[in-house]
Amino acid sequence: MDYFFTEEQQFMRDVAKEIAEKKIRPVAAHYDETGEFPWPEVKAMAEADLFRVFIDEKYEGMSGGTPITNMCIVTEELSKACGGISLAFAATGLGTMPILISGSEEQKEKYLPRIASGTLAAFALTEANAGSDASGIQTRAVEDGDSFILNGTKQWITNGGEAEIYTVFAVTDPDRGARGVSAFIVEKDTPGFTFGKKEDKLGIRASATRELIFQDCRIPAENMLGRRGTGFFTAMKTFDMSRPGVGAQALGIAQGALDLAVQYSRQRKQFGQPISSFQGLRFMLADMAMKVEAARALIYSVARWLDKCEPKKAAMYSAMAKCFASDTAMEVTVNALQVFGGYGYMKEYPIEKYMRDAKITQIYEGTNQIQRDEIGRGLIAAAAQGN
Amino acid sequence: MMKIVVCIKQVPQTTEVKIDPETHTLIREGVDSQINPFDLYALEEGVRVKERLEAEGEQSVVIALSMGPPQAEEALREAISLGADEGILLSDRAFAGSDTWATSYALAKAIQKIEPQLVFCGMQAIDGDTGQVGPGIAVHLDYGQAAYVAKIESLDKRKIVVKRLLENGYETVAVRLPAVLTVVKEINEPRTPSLRGKMNAKKAEIPIWKAADIGAPEDKIGLLGSPTQVIKVFCPPRREGGEKWSGEAPELADKLAELLKEMEVI
Amino acid sequence: MSIRVIKDKCNGCTLCERVCPQGGITIVDKLATIAVEKCNFCGACVSACRFRAITIEIDKQPKEDLTQYKDVWVFGEQWRGKIAPVVFELINAGRQLADARSSKLAVIVLGNNLDEAAAELSDYPVDKIFLYESPELEDYDPERYSRVLADLCRELKPEIVLAGATTTGRSFLSGVAIRLYTGLTADCTGLSIGEDGLLHQVRPAFGGNIMAEIVCPYTRPQMATVRHKVIPVSPKSSDGKKPEVIRLTPKPQLFQSRSEILDFVERVDGHVNIVEADVIVSGGRGIQDPSNFALLEELADALGGAVGASRAAVDAGWIPYAHQVGQTGKTVCPKLYIACGISGAVQHLAGMSSSDTIIAINKDPNAPIFQVADYGIVGDCLEIVPLLTKKIAAMRGRT
């Protein structure tokens, strides 16, 4: 199907696809096993200018005014080959959003060109006691002259330890609740900023997930993003803009799994014929394909809307894109594995990795329960206003 | 400023080569083309030399050159998306039917017009499989040459030091510029196209040089300029599969050993 | 140049119409009609026509009297005084060609201190051995070698020159052909003298998908390179006659070169060069892990052979590129090729399908390699290969 991407967007898709097939797919199983960080592949992505797609031309980017759609296109293609390696790219996009949303001109000029040329970024909000309830974060940022001193620990941060640029959310005014949180840019190697151990995960194992530990970490006051106390607003707006991207990651994983299942069904012969000739199997593939295409249509519709309008009511729809695509990915990968039968269960075959990789997309960047809550509340609010 | 020329050839995707069973000639319609895979390594090396020089504050330009029919322009645009700065297409009906002598002559005349210090070629083309054009260009131009280059050790204004891959080892040789190098796969890992590359490729103006533009006389190009002539093209006898065995590993190993004994390999 | 259809021979069968890439031929009243302005003289129609009804006339004449050129030369490639194995195969072909032309066969050796090399050659049915010795020629240099050989050809006028398609042969012979304005055909698999007295050169193209027959009608010498192990080694002389050894006078003015050899490092891994090997045991992705190449090495050692690899194994970093067999690797034609865990992609087959015997071991019964293997074994090579190596050792133990 044609989503009528612009020529530049088609280039982005083609460039990402070529890297996915030539550079990522051959090594995906290796990184899944070792859990090493895929620096050579990140370098290839950077050299291909992929990190420029979500950054404006003014800051050495190539977004052409459609950063969200571009990010989704690239993330989808990369994720078809490996949902873990693609995350080095996608999570950098997430980590950059707060700068795009709330950054001053100076901050944008300082950090965006670096990211555009491939310096990795990371988004740090979650803590041990603050997952779905993000307002429960306890990392403190205390003003001290022309600096802030950070203390606290962030948990499960994607690209943690590998990224150079971190957008960190901390409490500046404990008695103001949600309005007491501010966002900061913290660079790696700042004294007082260290990392915990790398997590050993079920899936997306090529992605680095680490704790960030702040112990009397002093950062310049000019590293605050936006006005003091607007951290939560920045975080929520970030999610609105980035959820289609998570959806795109899930979509890529789903499509990759579906493609493998279709190919396998044509080769595998039982009862004297390829299993693709059995109606029951074709129905399975059809159900998978319908959901994948629906997810795709939803993601790119929302992405286009966000790029064109930056609407205030985006939250509900972004949530739909992420929730639907990730639930689809989980369902599709499980069924794709089923198509492979016994071989699907063996690590020798690539399909089980897709199933393991898909699961996280239902959890991070807001669990699908939080997404549903968002959607439900959005519906009710809209009805209350007589819409 | 250092000028680097990379010679590329557009060839069919060999997985798709089909022979018409009646005419015994290649079916060319509907067959996709690609840049000769070995030329991608040559192009990558040319671009890497440029990047290394840039890092040292030296300007250089990489020019992709191809002799072919008008559709070879695609290959030149692809070369630009992979880092070449410019592309030039040598295309003229007069070049048709060229063998390696006439091809290397035409390319040499074009290169003479450009006056580069370095020329990179792939080891051989996967359709012709001769490997003769690169060294031929060097002799036409009276440039230095090194074939089967697996690594560039150093480069300065006067010479280039390279490692050549021979059957029995590696030879390090210094060649005075200007020089033609043919490269082997071991030399690098070609990049994939970049976004800026694709945009440049789309915008690029690719001049077409004809025989007159390079001052090539009629008797040195095309069919007239080719000392060799193909008088027949045919399908090789196709190899067919033979016996197929299956069973338990130990039995199969024993059976194989017996076969090897019969073949007098053991 | 002109192209025409011979009316009497054409029956309008449309084969030519179909192959013309320019769409320049139409059949009108059962006669092929060529639109000359569209024709680029590619010759596809000439090849296609079964009735030889189309001819292309090239207005070309030899620029000199070609009858002055006589004799067949074989380039005696040598490395540190020892003649390269391919030369003894070329002598076989060269002898047959010289006999067919009622002329002589000579081996021309460039280098320094070549007495031992000459001695190696003198047991073979060669009429003359030319030795061109000079310290500057001790190591191969593309400029010096091509100038010298071109000069010798101009002076001594051989009709045919054959050389091995080695890294040396393939890199400097082209220069000789350029300097002499003559034709060179690479990687010939067949060489014979045709009824027209010309050297007919048959070679593969498109990775072996098609064969082309080539001649060099208007210039001399007719030059060809041949890969190692394509032609059988020449038998030794049976008549006790020894070749005449002629020492040529070197001309230092031909020795300028832009190259200077700084160093040579021999490959130390101890395994036979795959291009030379009679037996190759090759591994692909199906061997699962790079460490399993050790199993293939053991089998190769037991059989006195070399280890090869598919592109997938090389790209995965499991084994160096020097072992890669295939379209973008090396082309080999050993007596026996054992493919382990190799699926048989077209590009791999291009590099090994002319092996005498192919044995394939693969778990997947549908692997394409089974379509060309003489013996296809459906099984796990990781189990079968070590058992086979053991069995071979046991068999040797007994005898």
Side-chain angles (χ1 to χ4, degrees):
Chain A
M1 230 189 87
D2 193 343
Y3 285 79
F4 300 103
F5 294 143
T6 64
E7 190 170 29
E8 284 77 18
Q9 286 169 337
Q10 285 173 47
F11 284 164
M12 289 172 197
R13 184 186 54 195
D14 294 341
V15 167
K17 193 182 183 128
E18 209 166 329
I19 291 189
E21 290 310 307
K22 291 198 174 138
K23 304 274 177 187
I24 295 180
R25 194 178 290 271
V27 296
H30 167 79
Y31 284 109
D32 180 56
E33 195 182 307
T34 62
E36 284 169 74
F37 194 75
W39 279 113
E41 288 67 33
V42 167
K43 185 160 177 271
M45 290 181 216
E47 285 177 352
D49 299 320
L50 287 180
F51 289 93
R52 300 186 196 277
V53 308
F54 49 84
I55 293 177
D56 194 272
E57 277 69 358
K58 202 166 155 198
Y59 310 104
E60 295 176 28
M62 293 173 87
S63 71
T66 58
I68 313 282
T69 305
N70 301 346
M71 265 224 64
C72 290
I73 291 171
V74 172
T75 303
E76 181 190 345
E77 286 307 323
L78 297 176
S79 302
K80 286 180 189 172
C82 177
I85 295 176
S86 68
L87 208 41
F89 169 79
T92 294
L94 174 62
T96 310
M97 287 289 166
I99 304 176
L100 295 175
I101 292 164
S102 304
S104 66
E105 227 12 74
E106 290 75 37
Q107 287 167 332
K108 285 180 179 172
E109 276 167 16
K110 183 172 177 192
Y111 293 102
L112 294 182
R114 282 175 64 190
I115 296 172
S117 60
T119 303
L120 299 182
F123 179 89
L125 173 62
T126 301
E127 294 177 14
N129 287 323
S132 291
D133 182 11
S135 66
I137 58 170
Q138 290 174 313
T139 300
R140 278 287 268 127
V142 175
E143 197 168 0
D144 180 43
D146 58 0
S147 330
F148 278 87
I149 303 191
L150 268 64
N151 273 289
T153 309
K154 295 294 184 186
Q155 193 185 55
W156 298 335
I157 305 304
T158 304
N159 280 351
E162 314 292 343
E164 300 272 329
I165 298 170
Y166 295 78
T167 44
V168 181
F169 295 81
V171 177
T172 35
D173 301 281
D175 45 344
R176 297 189 66 199
R179 295 230 184 83
V181 174
S182 306
F184 297 90
I185 299 176
V186 187
E187 292 191 57
K188 192 176 176 191
D189 297 331
T190 304
F193 176 16
T194 55
F195 303 99
K197 73 174 190 334
K198 195 160 149 181
E199 300 289 353
D200 186 15
K201 305 187 295 295
L202 170 68
I204 55 162
R205 294 173 50 76
S207 172
T209 311
R210 286 192 176 89
E211 262 183 346
L212 308 187
I213 303 166
F214 299 100
Q215 280 175 315
D216 297 329
C217 175
R218 183 178 289 273
I219 55 173
E222 72 225 24
N223 279 28
M224 179 183 281
L225 277 168
R227 282 199 328 274
R228 185 164 172 154
T230 60
F232 244 73
F233 161 78
T234 301
M236 292 306 119
K237 188 116 195 275
T238 293
F239 290 141
D240 289 350
M241 311 276 270
S242 64
R243 278 173 183 160
V246 184
Q249 181 198 17
L251 174 62
I253 293 172
Q255 184 68 57
L258 175 57
D259 291 343
L260 286 176
V262 171
Q263 194 186 53
Y264 182 78
S265 69
R266 295 176 64 214
Q267 289 165 358
R268 172 70 173 173
K269 289 202 172 98
Q270 287 287 274
F271 307 107
Q273 45 196 311
I275 59 177
S276 60
S277 57
F278 301 133
Q279 208 173 43
L281 195 121
R282 288 213 290 268
F283 285 178
M284 281 173 76
L285 296 176
D287 285 328
M288 287 189 243
M290 280 192 271
K291 292 220 164 102
V292 168
E293 203 60 47
R296 180 170 291 120
L298 181 54
I299 288 167
Y300 287 110
S301 302
V302 176
R304 187 167 46 236
W305 186 43
L306 288 171
D307 279 331
K308 260 181 136 58
C309 313
E310 278 199 36
K312 300 231 181 342
K313 306 260 180 67
M316 184 166 101
Y317 298 94
S318 285
M320 284 188 199
K322 189 267 193 194
C323 188
F324 185 76
S326 52
D327 283 347
T328 295
M330 201 63 233
E331 188 182 321
V332 166
T333 53
V334 166
N335 287 331
L337 193 151
Q338 189 70 15
V339 168
F340 273 74
Y343 288 101
Y345 206 67
M346 306 306 159
K347 275 183 169 281
E348 216 181 297
Y349 284 72
I351 193 67
E352 54 82 35
K353 173 178 176 294
Y354 282 80
M355 191 180 86
R356 285 187 286 112
D357 288 347
K359 187 58 191 162
I360 192 64
T361 62
Q362 290 179 304
I363 298 172
Y364 64 13
E365 269 201 61
T367 60
N368 284 5
Q369 286 65 37
I370 291 291
Q371 307 296 339
R372 286 180 165 83
D373 195 50
E374 186 84 57
I375 296 165
R377 284 195 283 109
L379 286 168
I380 305 304
Q385 286 174 15
N387 289 348
Chain B
M1 174 166 85
M2 178 163 285
K3 285 197 207 169
I4 301 167
V5 166
V6 180
C7 294
I8 64 171
K9 183 179 181 187
Q10 194 182 49
V11 299
Q13 296 264 18
T14 8
T15 38
E16 316 209 5
V17 157
K18 290 196 205 8
I19 309 293
D20 183 321
E22 283 197 322
T23 63
H24 298 298
T25 51
L26 287 149
I27 297 176
R28 290 191 203 261
E29 304 97 61
V31 173
D32 280 332
S33 299
Q34 56 172 335
I35 292 182
N36 175 40
F38 285 104
D39 297 345
L40 290 173
Y41 293 84
L43 176 60
E44 175 66 25
E45 201 58 26
V47 175
R48 286 190 188 191
V49 167
K50 175 182 162 177
E51 289 169 348
R52 280 201 286 266
L53 289 172
E54 241 165 43
E56 292 164 15
E58 298 254 359
Q59 286 286 66
S60 65
V61 66
V62 174
I63 301 164
L65 173 66
S66 187
M67 183 175 116
Q71 62 259 35
E73 188 187 298
E74 277 164 36
L76 289 166
R77 288 193 193 276
E78 195 184 326
I80 293 174
S81 78
L82 292 166
D85 297 295
E86 297 169 29
I88 296 173
L89 176 61
L90 256 186
S91 187
D92 193 327
R93 276 182 45 183
F95 296 138
S98 294
D99 71 357
T100 57
W101 199 104
T103 302
S104 57
Y105 178 78
L107 286 168
K109 292 296 278 180
I111 293 169
Q112 205 171 48
K113 218 175 133 159
I114 301 169
E115 291 184 321
Q117 286 73 34
L118 272 179
V119 178
F120 284 97
C121 298
M123 188 178 103
Q124 66 193 52
I126 59 167
D127 53 0
D129 292 328
T130 67
Q132 284 166 199
V133 171
I137 292 174
V139 171
H140 278 299
L141 291 170
D142 197 23
Y143 275 23
Q145 62 167 280
Y148 300 98
V149 174
K151 184 159 185 251
I152 295 180
E153 303 280 15
S154 69
L155 170 65
D156 61 44
K157 286 195 173 23
R158 280 185 302 131
K159 68 182 188 315
I160 188 165
V161 178
V162 300
K163 229 167 64 164
R164 295 180 59 223
L165 174 61
L166 307 183
E167 284 93 343
N168 54 349
Y170 289 92
E171 179 188 83
T172 307
V173 60
V175 186
R176 283 205 314 273
L177 301 184
V180 177
L181 305 180
T182 69
V183 307
V184 293
K185 278 182 54 171
E186 198 177 295
I187 194 169
N188 61 40
E189 186 62 53
R191 66 192 65 192
T192 51
S194 70
L195 268 180
R196 278 178 300 184
K198 280 202 166 257
M199 310 278 203
N200 291 340
K202 183 184 160 196
K203 288 187 298 206
E205 283 212 24
I206 301 199
I208 300 182
W209 288 0
K210 296 193 166 310
D213 296 314
I214 56 172
E218 192 184 54
D219 66 344
K220 292 217 173 118
I221 56 175
L223 265 187
L224 263 184
S226 301
T228 60
Q229 271 175 37
V230 175
I231 56 172
K232 195 162 122 192
V233 162
F234 57 96
C235 279
R238 269 191 53 133
R239 213 178 168 125
E240 295 289 331
E243 298 177 24
K244 214 157 165 185
W245 304 347
S246 49
E248 293 298 318
E251 293 162 14
L252 292 172
D254 284 348
K255 208 169 164 191
L256 256 178
E258 283 306 319
L259 172 65
L260 294 179
K261 184 150 166 242
E262 260 176 52
M263 288 173 60
E264 292 176 20
V265 174
I266 338 183
Chain C
M1 282 202 295
S2 62
I3 182 166
R4 64 186 187 95
V5 177
I6 303 170
K7 258 192 174 165
D8 306 332
K9 292 193 176 170
C10 174
N11 66 4
C13 73
T14 77
L15 284 179
C16 56
E17 189 180 39
R18 277 194 265 161
V19 299
C20 178
Q22 311 290 101
I25 307 184
T26 36
I27 308 296
V28 179
D29 290 333
K30 288 209 164 193
L31 181 65
T33 314
I34 301 177
V36 180
E37 67 281 5
K38 286 193 182 170
C39 177
N40 69 2
F41 298 98
C42 71
C45 55
V46 177
S47 285
C49 180
R50 280 205 207 117
F51 308 97
R52 299 185 194 257
I54 306 182
T55 60
I56 289 178
E57 265 121 36
I58 302 172
D59 208 0
K60 206 166 161 171
Q61 295 302 327
K63 293 205 165 96
E64 51 179 342
D65 174 16
L66 299 183
T67 60
Q68 311 168 63
Y69 288 83
K70 284 189 175 38
D71 295 345
V72 176
W73 282 13
V74 166
F75 174 68
E77 182 177 335
Q78 52 84 20
W79 169 264
R80 306 216 160 140
K82 221 170 165 324
I83 297 286
V86 66
V87 175
F88 300 104
E89 297 163 7
L90 294 171
I91 289 174
N92 195 349
R95 182 76 266 163
Q96 291 171 36
L97 296 173
D99 291 342
R101 290 295 286 158
S102 307
S103 65
K104 304 235 192 297
L105 172 63
V107 177
I108 160 88
V109 190
L110 269 48
N112 203 28
N113 298 323
L114 299 173
D115 288 334
E116 263 185 59
E120 264 189 283
L121 292 166
S122 52
D123 291 334
Y124 290 84
V126 172
D127 299 303
K128 296 184 206 168
I129 300 174
F130 289 111
L131 299 181
Y132 194 109
E133 293 166 297
S134 176
E136 287 90 339
L137 299 180
E138 181 154 346
D139 290 317
Y140 163 72
D141 177 287
E143 287 183 64
R144 289 181 190 140
Y145 274 44
S146 75
R147 271 201 215 95
V148 166
L149 189 57
D151 184 64
L152 288 175
C153 287
R154 279 192 209 104
E155 194 186 307
L156 300 173
K157 302 196 192 316
E159 191 184 30
I160 292 172
V161 175
L162 305 179
T166 59
T167 54
T168 292
R170 293 176 109 225
S171 54
F172 92 98
L173 261 286
S174 174
V176 179
I178 301 294
R179 292 178 203 282
L180 298 175
Y181 286 79
T182 193
L184 169 64
T185 305
D187 300 348
C188 298
T189 51
L191 289 169
S192 58
I193 303 295
E195 279 166 17
D196 47 12
L198 292 174
L199 176 65
H200 284 242
Q201 303 148 68
V202 175
R203 67 174 306 266
F206 286 94
N209 276 299
I210 61 166
M211 304 295 285
E213 190 171 327
I214 295 166
V215 294
C216 176
Y218 305 111
T219 59
R220 295 290 180 272
Q222 304 160 90
M223 303 180 65
T225 63
V226 183
R227 282 184 193 262
H228 187 27
K229 298 214 171 263
V230 168
I231 299 178
V233 173
S234 171
K236 297 204 173 161
S237 301
S238 48
D239 60 5
K241 278 209 297 212
K242 292 282 177 202
E244 189 190 344
V245 177
I246 303 167
R247 274 172 220 273
L248 299 167
T249 313
K251 294 185 190 167
Q253 67 269 32
L254 299 176
F255 295 169
Q256 324 126 303
S257 172
R258 283 196 184 72
S259 305
E260 187 194 332
I261 297 180
L262 302 177
D263 194 12
F264 174 73
V265 176
E266 205 151 351
R267 267 168 44 83
V268 200
D269 68 3
H271 284 283
V272 181
N273 173 4
I274 62 173
V275 165
E276 309 279 319
D278 278 331
V279 176
I280 298 178
V281 181
S282 209
R285 263 290 168 81
I287 69 167
Q288 308 277 343
D289 195 83
S291 58
N292 291 324
F293 266 108
L295 298 174
L296 303 188
E297 275 163 26
E298 279 169 27
L299 178 58
D301 283 341
L303 298 173
V307 175
S310 70
R311 177 176 174 167
V314 172
D315 282 353
W318 292 359
I319 190 169
Y321 171 62
H323 294 264
Q324 183 174 323
V325 172
Q327 191 186 72
T328 55
K330 294 197 167 81
T331 302
V332 296
C333 47
K335 292 209 179 70
L336 174 62
Y337 190 88
I338 305 179
C340 305
I342 293 179
S343 62
V346 173
Q347 293 88 345
H348 186 76
L349 298 184
M352 44 63 83
S353 58
S354 43
S355 308
D356 290 350
T357 306
I358 298 175
I359 297 177
I361 311 176
N362 197 304
K363 274 199 282 197
D364 176 5
N366 296 321
I369 194 136
F370 288 127
Q371 288 164 26
V372 300
D374 300 293
Y375 299 92
I377 296 149
V378 182
D380 187 350
C381 59
L382 299 179
E383 284 180 33
I384 297 176
V385 166
L387 286 172
L388 176 59
T389 310
K390 256 205 240 136
K391 184 76 195 201
I392 294 171
M395 283 165 94
R396 287 221 176 101
R398 261 187 257 137
T399 55

